Amino acid sequence: MSRSFGREKRLLTPRQFKAVFDSPSDKASGRCVLLLARKNDLGFPRLGLVIGKKSVKLSVERNRIKRQIRESFRHHQEQIGAMDLVIISRRGLADLENPELAKLFAKLWRRIRPNGSENSTPSAVSDHA
């Protein structure tokens, strides 16, 4: 699998985002962030970001956070598997430095279960906190 982050690895349309929001097969939350995941039939993961002005005021910070998330996704996409992911920011995300963001997202990617989510229980997802 290529480690690129091309157009095919992104959620682009409102319909694609809505599918994940309406029926996520897995969820993981961390400090200041929520990750929703849904299996797809494409054979590779896709990423969508919801980094709102309400939770991260400055555009410079929003852009920095998006860059860090994309880079982390790019490096971890093999372990994620065929899933559509949506990351939703919460207040306080801008307060995290880049190494803290990298650590947070590495932990969140591990919580998402690509092949075992039918067998995993909701409590199993939160055990890795």
Side-chain angles (χ1 to χ4, degrees), residues 21 28 30-36 48-58 61-62 65-66 69 86-96 101 104-105 108:
F21 285 130
R31 198 176 90 190
C32 315
V33 71
L34 174 67
L35 189 150
L36 302 174
L49 301 172
V50 180
I51 313 293
K53 284 184 188 179
K54 218 173 191 177
S55 58
V56 181
K57 301 276 186 235
L58 299 175
E61 289 297 317
R62 287 193 302 274
I65 289 166
K66 287 190 269 188
I69 294 170
V86 174
I87 306 243
I88 304 165
S89 68
R90 295 179 178 157
R91 288 188 200 277
L93 191 59
D95 298 336
L96 301 178
L101 283 171
L104 171 68
F105 283 99
L108 287 174

mmCIF file of all heavy atoms in Angstrom, residues 21 28 30-36 48-58 61-62 65-66 69 86-96 101 104-105 108:
data_model
loop_
_atom_site.group_PDB
_atom_site.id
_atom_site.type_symbol
_atom_site.label_atom_id
_atom_site.label_comp_id
_atom_site.label_asym_id
_atom_site.label_seq_id
_atom_site.Cartn_x
_atom_site.Cartn_y
_atom_site.Cartn_z
ATOM 1 N N PHE A 21 -21.092 9.600 9.809
ATOM 2 C CA PHE A 21 -21.809 10.179 10.950
ATOM 3 C C PHE A 21 -23.047 9.354 11.309
ATOM 4 O O PHE A 21 -23.345 9.156 12.483
ATOM 5 C CB PHE A 21 -22.260 11.614 10.657
ATOM 6 C CG PHE A 21 -21.155 12.624 10.699
ATOM 7 C CD1 PHE A 21 -20.982 13.523 9.666
ATOM 8 C CD2 PHE A 21 -20.293 12.697 11.777
ATOM 9 C CE1 PHE A 21 -19.984 14.471 9.699
ATOM 10 C CE2 PHE A 21 -19.282 13.634 11.826
ATOM 11 C CZ PHE A 21 -19.128 14.525 10.785
ATOM 12 N N ALA A 28 -13.611 6.245 18.735
ATOM 13 C CA ALA A 28 -12.522 6.385 19.698
ATOM 14 C C ALA A 28 -12.441 7.866 20.041
ATOM 15 O O ALA A 28 -12.536 8.713 19.159
ATOM 16 C CB ALA A 28 -11.206 5.897 19.104
ATOM 17 N N GLY A 30 -10.364 10.895 22.374
ATOM 18 C CA GLY A 30 -9.188 11.261 23.144
ATOM 19 C C GLY A 30 -9.440 12.634 23.722
ATOM 20 O O GLY A 30 -10.527 13.195 23.573
ATOM 21 N N ARG A 31 -8.435 13.146 24.355
ATOM 22 C CA ARG A 31 -8.536 14.493 24.887
ATOM 23 C C ARG A 31 -8.715 15.467 23.721
ATOM 24 O O ARG A 31 -7.873 15.543 22.850
ATOM 25 C CB ARG A 31 -7.239 14.797 25.647
ATOM 26 C CG ARG A 31 -7.333 15.929 26.598
ATOM 27 C CD ARG A 31 -6.039 16.054 27.335
ATOM 28 N NE ARG A 31 -5.177 16.960 26.574
ATOM 29 C CZ ARG A 31 -3.903 17.153 26.816
ATOM 30 N NH1 ARG A 31 -3.307 16.455 27.742
ATOM 31 N NH2 ARG A 31 -3.203 17.998 26.122
ATOM 32 N N CYS A 32 -9.817 16.143 23.649
ATOM 33 C CA CYS A 32 -10.082 17.185 22.655
ATOM 34 C C CYS A 32 -10.396 16.675 21.246
ATOM 35 O O CYS A 32 -10.360 17.461 20.300
ATOM 36 C CB CYS A 32 -8.910 18.155 22.543
ATOM 37 S SG CYS A 32 -8.228 18.701 24.080
ATOM 38 N N VAL A 33 -10.671 15.397 21.074
ATOM 39 C CA VAL A 33 -10.920 14.897 19.721
ATOM 40 C C VAL A 33 -11.820 13.659 19.762
ATOM 41 O O VAL A 33 -11.797 12.908 20.731
ATOM 42 C CB VAL A 33 -9.582 14.596 19.001
ATOM 43 C CG1 VAL A 33 -8.901 13.394 19.563
ATOM 44 C CG2 VAL A 33 -9.762 14.467 17.517
ATOM 45 N N LEU A 34 -12.616 13.489 18.705
ATOM 46 C CA LEU A 34 -13.456 12.306 18.548
ATOM 47 C C LEU A 34 -13.187 11.726 17.168
ATOM 48 O O LEU A 34 -13.130 12.467 16.180
ATOM 49 C CB LEU A 34 -14.940 12.677 18.678
ATOM 50 C CG LEU A 34 -15.952 11.575 18.390
ATOM 51 C CD1 LEU A 34 -15.861 10.473 19.442
ATOM 52 C CD2 LEU A 34 -17.357 12.146 18.357
ATOM 53 N N LEU A 35 -13.008 10.420 17.092
ATOM 54 C CA LEU A 35 -12.770 9.741 15.833
ATOM 55 C C LEU A 35 -13.924 8.767 15.585
ATOM 56 O O LEU A 35 -14.208 7.931 16.437
ATOM 57 C CB LEU A 35 -11.442 8.986 15.899
ATOM 58 C CG LEU A 35 -10.924 8.377 14.614
ATOM 59 C CD1 LEU A 35 -9.405 8.345 14.641
ATOM 60 C CD2 LEU A 35 -11.436 6.990 14.389
ATOM 61 N N LEU A 36 -14.589 8.916 14.450
ATOM 62 C CA LEU A 36 -15.655 8.003 14.036
ATOM 63 C C LEU A 36 -15.145 7.185 12.862
ATOM 64 O O LEU A 36 -14.472 7.725 11.974
ATOM 65 C CB LEU A 36 -16.904 8.783 13.606
ATOM 66 C CG LEU A 36 -17.523 9.714 14.632
ATOM 67 C CD1 LEU A 36 -18.658 10.515 14.007
ATOM 68 C CD2 LEU A 36 -18.022 8.939 15.821
ATOM 69 N N GLY A 48 -11.509 12.059 6.706
ATOM 70 C CA GLY A 48 -12.213 13.332 6.632
ATOM 71 C C GLY A 48 -11.980 14.089 7.928
ATOM 72 O O GLY A 48 -11.960 13.488 9.007
ATOM 73 N N LEU A 49 -11.797 15.392 7.819
ATOM 74 C CA LEU A 49 -11.508 16.218 8.992
ATOM 75 C C LEU A 49 -12.597 17.250 9.216
ATOM 76 O O LEU A 49 -13.036 17.903 8.263
ATOM 77 C CB LEU A 49 -10.164 16.931 8.818
ATOM 78 C CG LEU A 49 -8.952 16.037 8.608
ATOM 79 C CD1 LEU A 49 -7.730 16.867 8.266
ATOM 80 C CD2 LEU A 49 -8.695 15.209 9.834
ATOM 81 N N VAL A 50 -13.015 17.402 10.462
ATOM 82 C CA VAL A 50 -13.956 18.441 10.852
ATOM 83 C C VAL A 50 -13.274 19.230 11.968
ATOM 84 O O VAL A 50 -13.337 18.864 13.136
ATOM 85 C CB VAL A 50 -15.300 17.847 11.344
ATOM 86 C CG1 VAL A 50 -16.257 18.966 11.733
ATOM 87 C CG2 VAL A 50 -15.904 16.939 10.290
ATOM 88 N N ILE A 51 -12.581 20.288 11.560
ATOM 89 C CA ILE A 51 -11.843 21.134 12.504
ATOM 90 C C ILE A 51 -12.510 22.508 12.442
ATOM 91 O O ILE A 51 -12.204 23.315 11.571
ATOM 92 C CB ILE A 51 -10.340 21.250 12.133
ATOM 93 C CG1 ILE A 51 -9.729 19.897 11.828
ATOM 94 C CG2 ILE A 51 -9.578 21.994 13.221
ATOM 95 C CD1 ILE A 51 -9.633 18.946 12.981
ATOM 96 N N GLY A 52 -13.449 22.747 13.339
ATOM 97 C CA GLY A 52 -14.265 23.950 13.279
ATOM 98 C C GLY A 52 -13.638 25.160 13.940
ATOM 99 O O GLY A 52 -12.781 25.045 14.816
ATOM 100 N N LYS A 53 -14.108 26.332 13.525
ATOM 101 C CA LYS A 53 -13.644 27.588 14.111
ATOM 102 C C LYS A 53 -14.030 27.701 15.576
ATOM 103 O O LYS A 53 -13.360 28.368 16.349
ATOM 104 C CB LYS A 53 -14.265 28.778 13.372
ATOM 105 C CG LYS A 53 -13.673 29.074 12.043
ATOM 106 C CD LYS A 53 -14.327 30.326 11.482
ATOM 107 C CE LYS A 53 -13.906 30.570 10.056
ATOM 108 N NZ LYS A 53 -14.564 31.764 9.517
ATOM 109 N N LYS A 54 -15.116 27.050 15.932
ATOM 110 C CA LYS A 54 -15.575 27.119 17.320
ATOM 111 C C LYS A 54 -14.598 26.430 18.267
ATOM 112 O O LYS A 54 -14.384 26.881 19.385
ATOM 113 C CB LYS A 54 -16.944 26.452 17.424
ATOM 114 C CG LYS A 54 -17.884 27.114 18.355
ATOM 115 C CD LYS A 54 -19.248 26.480 18.246
ATOM 116 C CE LYS A 54 -20.246 27.312 18.988
ATOM 117 N NZ LYS A 54 -21.591 26.793 18.877
ATOM 118 N N SER A 55 -14.007 25.335 17.810
ATOM 119 C CA SER A 55 -13.102 24.587 18.689
ATOM 120 C C SER A 55 -11.647 25.028 18.537
ATOM 121 O O SER A 55 -10.870 24.911 19.473
ATOM 122 C CB SER A 55 -13.234 23.089 18.439
ATOM 123 O OG SER A 55 -12.952 22.788 17.103
ATOM 124 N N VAL A 56 -11.261 25.490 17.354
ATOM 125 C CA VAL A 56 -9.890 25.973 17.117
ATOM 126 C C VAL A 56 -10.014 27.333 16.423
ATOM 127 O O VAL A 56 -10.288 27.413 15.235
ATOM 128 C CB VAL A 56 -9.082 24.982 16.235
ATOM 129 C CG1 VAL A 56 -7.667 25.482 16.033
ATOM 130 C CG2 VAL A 56 -9.082 23.594 16.848
ATOM 131 N N LYS A 57 -9.823 28.387 17.175
ATOM 132 C CA LYS A 57 -10.124 29.745 16.717
ATOM 133 C C LYS A 57 -9.267 30.225 15.534
ATOM 134 O O LYS A 57 -9.785 30.727 14.557
ATOM 135 C CB LYS A 57 -9.953 30.744 17.867
ATOM 136 C CG LYS A 57 -10.824 30.474 19.057
ATOM 137 C CD LYS A 57 -12.186 31.060 18.868
ATOM 138 C CE LYS A 57 -13.003 30.907 20.126
ATOM 139 N NZ LYS A 57 -14.253 30.234 19.904
ATOM 140 N N LEU A 58 -7.960 30.068 15.630
ATOM 141 C CA LEU A 58 -7.071 30.639 14.616
ATOM 142 C C LEU A 58 -6.875 29.706 13.429
ATOM 143 O O LEU A 58 -6.623 28.509 13.596
ATOM 144 C CB LEU A 58 -5.709 30.950 15.240
ATOM 145 C CG LEU A 58 -5.696 31.955 16.391
ATOM 146 C CD1 LEU A 58 -4.304 32.068 16.971
ATOM 147 C CD2 LEU A 58 -6.208 33.308 15.930
ATOM 148 N N GLU A 61 -3.691 27.693 13.444
ATOM 149 C CA GLU A 61 -3.753 26.508 14.302
ATOM 150 C C GLU A 61 -4.558 25.391 13.638
ATOM 151 O O GLU A 61 -4.191 24.222 13.713
ATOM 152 C CB GLU A 61 -4.353 26.850 15.666
ATOM 153 C CG GLU A 61 -3.445 27.693 16.535
ATOM 154 C CD GLU A 61 -2.153 26.977 16.879
ATOM 155 O OE1 GLU A 61 -2.181 25.788 17.211
ATOM 156 O OE2 GLU A 61 -1.099 27.620 16.808
ATOM 157 N N ARG A 62 -5.703 25.750 13.016
ATOM 158 C CA ARG A 62 -6.497 24.732 12.319
ATOM 159 C C ARG A 62 -5.672 24.051 11.233
ATOM 160 O O ARG A 62 -5.686 22.826 11.100
ATOM 161 C CB ARG A 62 -7.759 25.348 11.701
ATOM 162 C CG ARG A 62 -8.815 25.712 12.701
ATOM 163 C CD ARG A 62 -10.149 26.014 12.044
ATOM 164 N NE ARG A 62 -10.107 27.088 11.071
ATOM 165 C CZ ARG A 62 -10.229 28.379 11.351
ATOM 166 N NH1 ARG A 62 -10.367 28.782 12.598
ATOM 167 N NH2 ARG A 62 -10.204 29.277 10.397
ATOM 168 N N ILE A 65 -2.978 21.728 12.759
ATOM 169 C CA ILE A 65 -3.586 20.500 13.254
ATOM 170 C C ILE A 65 -3.920 19.565 12.102
ATOM 171 O O ILE A 65 -3.651 18.366 12.158
ATOM 172 C CB ILE A 65 -4.835 20.828 14.102
ATOM 173 C CG1 ILE A 65 -4.396 21.472 15.424
ATOM 174 C CG2 ILE A 65 -5.685 19.598 14.350
ATOM 175 C CD1 ILE A 65 -5.512 22.144 16.188
ATOM 176 N N LYS A 66 -4.495 20.110 11.037
ATOM 177 C CA LYS A 66 -4.829 19.276 9.873
ATOM 178 C C LYS A 66 -3.583 18.649 9.263
ATOM 179 O O LYS A 66 -3.598 17.469 8.904
ATOM 180 C CB LYS A 66 -5.590 20.098 8.827
ATOM 181 C CG LYS A 66 -7.014 20.405 9.266
ATOM 182 C CD LYS A 66 -7.820 20.999 8.148
ATOM 183 C CE LYS A 66 -7.740 22.492 8.161
ATOM 184 N NZ LYS A 66 -8.675 23.123 7.205
ATOM 185 N N ILE A 69 -2.487 15.767 11.557
ATOM 186 C CA ILE A 69 -3.383 14.611 11.457
ATOM 187 C C ILE A 69 -3.137 13.866 10.151
ATOM 188 O O ILE A 69 -3.044 12.637 10.136
ATOM 189 C CB ILE A 69 -4.862 15.043 11.579
ATOM 190 C CG1 ILE A 69 -5.143 15.596 12.971
ATOM 191 C CG2 ILE A 69 -5.786 13.870 11.264
ATOM 192 C CD1 ILE A 69 -6.506 16.258 13.120
ATOM 193 N N VAL A 86 -13.627 9.843 10.255
ATOM 194 C CA VAL A 86 -13.897 11.273 10.405
ATOM 195 C C VAL A 86 -13.361 11.691 11.759
ATOM 196 O O VAL A 86 -13.673 11.079 12.782
ATOM 197 C CB VAL A 86 -15.400 11.603 10.297
ATOM 198 C CG1 VAL A 86 -15.647 13.073 10.614
ATOM 199 C CG2 VAL A 86 -15.931 11.278 8.920
ATOM 200 N N ILE A 87 -12.528 12.730 11.758
ATOM 201 C CA ILE A 87 -11.967 13.286 12.990
ATOM 202 C C ILE A 87 -12.698 14.589 13.286
ATOM 203 O O ILE A 87 -12.768 15.459 12.427
ATOM 204 C CB ILE A 87 -10.464 13.581 12.820
ATOM 205 C CG1 ILE A 87 -9.770 12.342 12.345
ATOM 206 C CG2 ILE A 87 -9.905 14.230 14.053
ATOM 207 C CD1 ILE A 87 -8.761 11.741 13.185
ATOM 208 N N ILE A 88 -13.227 14.700 14.498
ATOM 209 C CA ILE A 88 -13.947 15.893 14.919
ATOM 210 C C ILE A 88 -13.174 16.531 16.069
ATOM 211 O O ILE A 88 -12.900 15.874 17.074
ATOM 212 C CB ILE A 88 -15.379 15.537 15.377
ATOM 213 C CG1 ILE A 88 -16.105 14.802 14.257
ATOM 214 C CG2 ILE A 88 -16.136 16.793 15.797
ATOM 215 C CD1 ILE A 88 -17.359 14.095 14.698
ATOM 216 N N SER A 89 -12.842 17.800 15.905
ATOM 217 C CA SER A 89 -12.077 18.489 16.946
ATOM 218 C C SER A 89 -12.999 19.012 18.038
ATOM 219 O O SER A 89 -14.178 19.272 17.815
ATOM 220 C CB SER A 89 -11.291 19.651 16.340
ATOM 221 O OG SER A 89 -12.177 20.662 15.899
ATOM 222 N N ARG A 90 -12.430 19.148 19.213
ATOM 223 C CA ARG A 90 -13.111 19.755 20.356
ATOM 224 C C ARG A 90 -12.218 20.858 20.904
ATOM 225 O O ARG A 90 -11.054 20.960 20.538
ATOM 226 C CB ARG A 90 -13.368 18.708 21.435
ATOM 227 C CG ARG A 90 -14.318 17.623 20.999
ATOM 228 C CD ARG A 90 -14.488 16.612 22.117
ATOM 229 N NE ARG A 90 -15.431 15.572 21.763
ATOM 230 C CZ ARG A 90 -15.447 14.375 22.321
ATOM 231 N NH1 ARG A 90 -14.571 14.061 23.254
ATOM 232 N NH2 ARG A 90 -16.329 13.487 21.957
ATOM 233 N N ARG A 91 -12.762 21.634 21.798
ATOM 234 C CA ARG A 91 -11.974 22.726 22.404
ATOM 235 C C ARG A 91 -10.711 22.171 23.066
ATOM 236 O O ARG A 91 -10.736 21.108 23.668
ATOM 237 C CB ARG A 91 -12.790 23.449 23.460
ATOM 238 C CG ARG A 91 -13.882 24.292 22.892
ATOM 239 C CD ARG A 91 -14.532 25.127 23.991
ATOM 240 N NE ARG A 91 -15.842 25.591 23.592
ATOM 241 C CZ ARG A 91 -16.056 26.677 22.856
ATOM 242 N NH1 ARG A 91 -15.044 27.394 22.440
ATOM 243 N NH2 ARG A 91 -17.275 27.039 22.540
ATOM 244 N N GLY A 92 -9.644 22.915 22.948
ATOM 245 C CA GLY A 92 -8.401 22.527 23.593
ATOM 246 C C GLY A 92 -7.421 21.814 22.671
ATOM 247 O O GLY A 92 -6.272 21.615 23.035
ATOM 248 N N LEU A 93 -7.858 21.439 21.474
ATOM 249 C CA LEU A 93 -6.966 20.728 20.560
ATOM 250 C C LEU A 93 -5.795 21.613 20.130
ATOM 251 O O LEU A 93 -4.676 21.150 19.980
ATOM 252 C CB LEU A 93 -7.744 20.236 19.334
ATOM 253 C CG LEU A 93 -7.030 19.255 18.422
ATOM 254 C CD1 LEU A 93 -6.620 17.996 19.169
ATOM 255 C CD2 LEU A 93 -7.904 18.892 17.230
ATOM 256 N N ALA A 94 -6.055 22.903 19.988
ATOM 257 C CA ALA A 94 -5.010 23.840 19.574
ATOM 258 C C ALA A 94 -3.927 24.012 20.640
ATOM 259 O O ALA A 94 -2.820 24.451 20.336
ATOM 260 C CB ALA A 94 -5.615 25.198 19.235
ATOM 261 N N ASP A 95 -4.238 23.644 21.878
ATOM 262 C CA ASP A 95 -3.266 23.788 22.963
ATOM 263 C C ASP A 95 -2.189 22.708 22.921
ATOM 264 O O ASP A 95 -1.166 22.837 23.596
ATOM 265 C CB ASP A 95 -3.963 23.731 24.320
ATOM 266 C CG ASP A 95 -4.968 24.871 24.490
ATOM 267 O OD1 ASP A 95 -4.809 25.911 23.818
ATOM 268 O OD2 ASP A 95 -5.913 24.699 25.284
ATOM 269 N N LEU A 96 -2.419 21.640 22.162
ATOM 270 C CA LEU A 96 -1.447 20.547 22.092
ATOM 271 C C LEU A 96 -0.329 20.878 21.109
ATOM 272 O O LEU A 96 -0.573 21.394 20.023
ATOM 273 C CB LEU A 96 -2.140 19.248 21.651
ATOM 274 C CG LEU A 96 -3.274 18.743 22.543
ATOM 275 C CD1 LEU A 96 -3.876 17.480 21.948
ATOM 276 C CD2 LEU A 96 -2.778 18.472 23.940
ATOM 277 N N LEU A 101 0.248 15.865 19.620
ATOM 278 C CA LEU A 101 -0.740 15.485 18.608
ATOM 279 C C LEU A 101 -0.369 14.153 17.962
ATOM 280 O O LEU A 101 -1.224 13.287 17.777
ATOM 281 C CB LEU A 101 -0.845 16.567 17.522
ATOM 282 C CG LEU A 101 -1.625 17.826 17.872
ATOM 283 C CD1 LEU A 101 -1.442 18.884 16.796
ATOM 284 C CD2 LEU A 101 -3.092 17.505 18.063
ATOM 285 N N LEU A 104 -1.138 11.380 20.419
ATOM 286 C CA LEU A 104 -2.579 11.214 20.566
ATOM 287 C C LEU A 104 -3.165 10.441 19.380
ATOM 288 O O LEU A 104 -3.922 9.486 19.562
ATOM 289 C CB LEU A 104 -3.256 12.584 20.677
ATOM 290 C CG LEU A 104 -4.781 12.612 20.616
ATOM 291 C CD1 LEU A 104 -5.376 11.945 21.854
ATOM 292 C CD2 LEU A 104 -5.286 14.034 20.485
ATOM 293 N N PHE A 105 -2.789 10.822 18.163
ATOM 294 C CA PHE A 105 -3.364 10.158 16.994
ATOM 295 C C PHE A 105 -2.804 8.763 16.782
ATOM 296 O O PHE A 105 -3.526 7.883 16.322
ATOM 297 C CB PHE A 105 -3.255 11.045 15.755
ATOM 298 C CG PHE A 105 -4.288 12.126 15.781
ATOM 299 C CD1 PHE A 105 -3.979 13.405 16.203
ATOM 300 C CD2 PHE A 105 -5.603 11.843 15.464
ATOM 301 C CE1 PHE A 105 -4.947 14.378 16.283
ATOM 302 C CE2 PHE A 105 -6.580 12.805 15.536
ATOM 303 C CZ PHE A 105 -6.254 14.083 15.946
ATOM 304 N N LEU A 108 -5.049 6.793 18.906
ATOM 305 C CA LEU A 108 -6.396 6.674 18.340
ATOM 306 C C LEU A 108 -6.438 5.687 17.175
ATOM 307 O O LEU A 108 -7.384 4.917 17.047
ATOM 308 C CB LEU A 108 -6.908 8.040 17.880
ATOM 309 C CG LEU A 108 -7.301 9.010 18.977
ATOM 310 C CD1 LEU A 108 -7.656 10.365 18.388
ATOM 311 C CD2 LEU A 108 -8.449 8.472 19.806
#
